[in-house]
Amino acid sequence: MAKAFEIAVFEGDGIGPEITAPVVEMLAMLAGRSAEYSLSFVRAEAGAGHYAKTGEALPAESLDIARRADAILLSAMGIPSIRYDDGTEIAPQIDLRTELDLYAGVRPVRIVPGQPTPLNLPDGQGVDFVLVRESTEGLFHSKGRGEITRDEARETLLITRETSEKLFRFAFDLAKQRKNAGLGPGKVTCIDKANVFRAFAFFRGVFDEQASNFPDIVADHAYVDAAALWMVQKPWIFDVMVTENMFGDILSDLGAGLMGGLGMAPSADIGDSHAVFQPCHGSAPDIAGQGIANPFAMFLSGAMMLEWLGERHQVASMAGDAQMLRDAVFDVVSRAQWTTRDIGGDATTQEASSAVMDAFAVVS
Ligand code: ATP
């Protein structure tokens, strides 16, 4: 009998609804032809638009839908002109990470031949690594708690042993899976600033302790400044990178830039019981409503969701569907015919999405 999964869908703000619709359509099509799994989609309201209407950014009912669901698909939230009274932006996607304890932010960086990239890669050199960003503490722990006087502002970083241990185990397991799938050599690089800050020396110490439990995986270290340099100069040296929340926030945008832009960068925020899948980009209010947003990061996030669900619930064909969906997206990107403006083309969201569906029909 087919396993039934309920997916909470947060369409969000700005371009969110435009990029969500084709991806939900694609996922429904995939599930519709499968005998092993089915998907049902439940819409959940949240975001800046919802806050402007109701005074609530993440209603309790939506949080309940998210908690009940087997996985959460989220597009983008926040509109710079709508803010809380303290001047900060509405970001329920960050609140979800804390509420659902989604400690591992997974940010894959992949560049295939033909893909627009600012890098000048040696002939035949691809790039395929994954950045794992701790997503519940680090400097973001201070969100909403900063202390401000007329003359001083303080924000405090938090790194705990419990979360760091879970994070590093996650990163080593991921490196093991990638090695088994032939995607990487089996290496985890801990990115920190242990030469300057005690908190990062602690972070590195916990990493080294966990590394000893994974003798088949190489454990490596890099300071965050050097890691940024190498991501540009020789990104192929990385397999799995693992880092603190704020460093991960910055490096994942650098990774997105290497892939041609935010419109290409998918992500997953994973905890022990829940997971949110969403593109790395924001709600792009400057192009919202024009039908020109790049849907590829959202498609790739949908593929990550299928893969995660399949592995968690032992439905092998979901990983296969995820791989075919990913291949379809990269096929469209490498042919550069139906790509959107942000990555050098002139296709609309609808045209780019149809091209993914057509490419899927060929690869499947
Ligand atoms: P946030 O702080 O919410 O992450 P941001 O400030 O990084 O948001 P985005 O909303 O991601 O900003 O937009 C940054 C730029 O990238 C904008 O010019 C936007 O139009 C563009 N952009 C973002 N996502 C896409 C997309 N999917 N397709 C096309 N352009 C995009």
Side-chain angles (χ1 to χ4, degrees):
M1 209 177 75
K3 284 203 177 153
F5 299 113
E6 188 174 290
I7 312 299
V9 179
F10 287 83
E11 283 190 347
D13 298 308
I15 60 170
E18 299 165 48
I19 58 172
T20 304
V23 174
V24 168
E25 190 185 330
M26 178 89 197
L27 293 170
M29 186 278 282
L30 289 175
R33 45 168 240 155
S34 169
E36 292 182 31
Y37 69 98
S38 67
L39 301 176
S40 58
F41 300 91
V42 183
R43 236 180 101 175
E45 298 285 352
H50 192 73
Y51 176 80
K53 271 193 277 176
T54 65
E56 271 190 306
L58 179 60
E61 193 192 335
S62 299
L63 193 53
D64 275 353
I65 293 174
R67 280 191 203 282
R68 266 202 325 267
D70 294 292
I72 300 153
L73 191 64
L74 191 154
S75 57
M77 291 182 191
I79 297 177
S81 57
I82 303 175
R83 288 173 187 257
Y84 293 118
D85 292 344
D86 66 1
T88 58
E89 273 195 46
I90 316 286
Q93 69 278 23
I94 299 180
D95 302 329
L96 271 178
R97 289 175 200 157
T98 325
E99 286 287 344
L100 304 179
D101 196 19
L102 309 177
Y103 55 86
V106 182
R107 313 281 189 264
V109 177
R110 184 171 183 219
I111 308 171
V112 300
Q115 183 172 341
T117 169
L119 296 176
N120 195 3
L121 290 171
D123 261 359
Q125 179 69 64
V127 172
D128 187 339
F129 65 88
V130 182
L131 178 74
V132 180
R133 160 193 178 184
E134 197 291 311
S135 298
T136 57
E137 45 188 47
L139 191 54
F140 278 69
H141 170 76
S142 191
K143 180 174 173 281
R145 299 188 175 104
E147 294 164 28
I148 312 278
T149 66
R150 196 184 74 88
D151 301 314
E152 266 187 27
R154 283 169 200 264
E155 304 271 359
T156 307
L157 166 146
L158 174 77
I159 290 176
T160 67
R161 167 174 292 280
E162 190 189 350
T163 299
S164 303
E165 282 178 352
K166 285 199 292 187
L167 175 79
F168 295 137
R169 276 200 298 272
F170 182 95
F172 280 105
D173 279 335
L174 179 62
K176 220 155 101 177
Q177 277 168 29
R178 284 172 53 84
K179 188 177 178 185
N180 292 340
L183 294 172
K187 179 168 86 165
V188 182
T189 310
C190 177
I191 312 296
D192 57 45
K193 195 72 186 167
N195 51 336
V196 178
F197 297 105
R198 287 178 180 174
F200 282 111
F202 173 82
F203 189 68
R204 183 179 281 214
V206 180
F207 173 81
D208 288 340
E209 282 168 25
Q210 287 304 313
S212 61
N213 299 324
F214 295 86
D216 299 340
I217 302 296
V218 176
D220 197 10
H221 309 104
Y223 298 130
V224 64
D225 41 345
L229 181 78
W230 295 337
M231 279 174 71
V232 174
Q233 284 186 336
K234 44 179 181 175
W236 53 86
I237 66 167
F238 293 114
D239 181 7
V240 173
M241 303 166 82
V242 62
T243 192
E244 177 269 343
N245 207 341
M246 184 68 164
F247 289 165
D249 185 37
I250 298 165
L251 292 182
S252 59
D253 267 28
L254 173 53
L258 302 182
M259 278 188 277
L262 284 166
M264 288 304 303
S267 83
D269 288 304
I270 298 180
D272 292 334
S273 314
H274 304 277
V276 171
F277 299 85
Q278 77 166 124
C280 286
H281 58 74
S283 64
D286 52 335
I287 57 163
Q290 297 177 34
I292 56 169
N294 184 343
F296 294 159
M298 189 76 188
F299 273 108
L300 294 171
S301 304
M304 291 176 80
M305 185 185 83
L306 289 181
E307 201 166 41
W308 180 79
L309 277 171
E311 176 159 341
R312 193 173 167 81
H313 299 275
Q314 286 100 42
V315 184
S317 64
M318 293 182 93
D321 283 356
Q323 188 54 48
M324 285 188 286
L325 176 51
R326 203 175 288 127
D327 287 348
V329 171
F330 281 101
D331 179 59
V332 176
V333 172
S334 65
R335 282 185 291 115
Q337 191 186 357
W338 296 110
T339 50
T340 45
R341 201 177 61 184
D342 57 308
I343 52 169
D346 59 6
T348 61
T349 308
Q350 186 58 53
E351 288 166 339
S353 302
S354 300
V356 172
M357 301 221 182
D358 293 346
F360 183 86
V362 174
V363 296
S364 64

